[in-house]
Amino acid sequence: MKQSEFLKTVMPFKDKVFRVAKRLLVSTEEAEDATQELYFKLWKNKSKLKDYKSVEAFAMTMTKNYCFDRLKSKQASNLKLVHSNYQEKDTPLQRRVELNDSVSLVHKLINNLPEQQKLIIQLRDIEEYEFDEIAEQLNMQPTAVRVTLSRARKTIREQLTKQHNYGIS
């Protein structure tokens, strides 16, 4: 595989790889390192890429595994999972504060989910992958992905409701 063919194959999903790495590793620098490491590994194994049905799914799986390895390493003891890309304009100040509080609360609730649920929420609700793609990347059945996503959303919904109804009898 020549360089131009390699770039044509792997560059379309570079941003997705970065976003998943950023979601898992938090730090922009760590995510950039993870993305660079992934592309280095893909380049080293470029001759084998044609054997994969979906190079993108393979790359996303590699990204997930690399990030989990980083999070498990002693170096990464200060890394945590967050996501914040919410921004709205032309909203009254009080409403913006309320929305920011709600978004922050959702981030905290997502952080309290088990790792698999966090990742599935990231891939489905933020990256907008299909259930089959997520199942392939995580080596799960599509039904299990749906169930896990449903449980994660239900947990978040219950916690949000509990938080918003606090003190109301």
Side-chain angles (χ1 to χ4, degrees):
M1 178 180 283
K2 293 188 165 109
Q3 182 179 0
S4 60
E5 187 180 345
F6 173 79
L7 291 174
K8 191 186 286 186
T9 303
V10 299
M11 290 310 285
F13 52 85
K14 182 179 181 188
D15 289 339
K16 285 183 180 181
V17 166
F18 174 78
R19 285 191 305 267
V20 167
K22 176 109 167 74
R23 175 71 170 153
L24 293 171
L25 299 174
V26 176
S27 164
T28 301
E29 293 80 18
E30 287 282 338
E32 288 170 350
D33 290 348
T35 304
Q36 184 175 5
E37 182 68 24
L38 171 82
Y39 276 85
F40 177 69
K41 287 179 180 179
L42 287 173
W43 176 253
K44 280 185 5 186
N45 295 311
K46 64 183 178 272
S47 61
K48 298 176 186 173
L49 292 181
K50 62 182 176 292
D51 298 338
Y52 293 99
K53 187 168 70 170
S54 171
V55 175
E56 181 178 347
F58 175 64
M60 297 307 287
T61 301
M62 285 178 62
T63 303
K64 173 196 67 143
N65 292 337
Y66 177 82
C67 292
F68 284 162
D69 289 345
R70 290 286 301 136
L71 288 168
K72 289 176 189 172
S73 75
K74 291 181 182 175
Q75 293 177 317
S77 61
N78 63 342
L79 296 178
K80 61 179 182 164
L81 181 69
V82 296
H83 181 71
S84 58
N85 66 352
Y86 178 81
Q87 189 174 19
E88 187 174 331
K89 298 176 182 162
D90 302 316
T91 307
L93 180 60
Q94 172 142 356
R95 182 72 179 134
R96 268 194 312 225
V97 170
E98 290 171 359
L99 290 172
N100 285 339
D101 287 347
S102 292
V103 170
S104 295
L105 179 58
V106 170
H107 290 185
K108 287 179 188 174
L109 295 174
I110 290 173
N111 283 336
N112 292 333
L113 293 173
E115 288 297 322
Q116 189 174 50
Q117 289 182 1
K118 287 181 209 178
L119 188 57
I120 289 174
I121 282 189
Q122 168 73 25
L123 292 172
R124 179 67 181 162
D125 293 340
I126 297 166
E127 300 297 330
E128 299 179 348
Y129 277 95
E130 297 297 322
F131 288 109
D132 292 336
E133 294 172 309
I134 296 169
E136 184 179 332
Q137 290 174 27
L138 301 180
N139 198 23
M140 297 173 67
Q141 293 295 318
T143 307
V145 171
R146 284 186 178 86
V147 168
T148 304
L149 181 62
S150 175
R151 288 180 181 159
R153 288 175 176 167
K154 181 180 178 189
T155 301
I156 292 169
R157 185 173 40 253
E158 288 172 350
Q159 292 296 318
L160 274 175
T161 303
K162 183 178 173 184
Q163 184 76 23
H164 286 293
N165 291 338
Y166 181 77
I168 299 174
S169 21

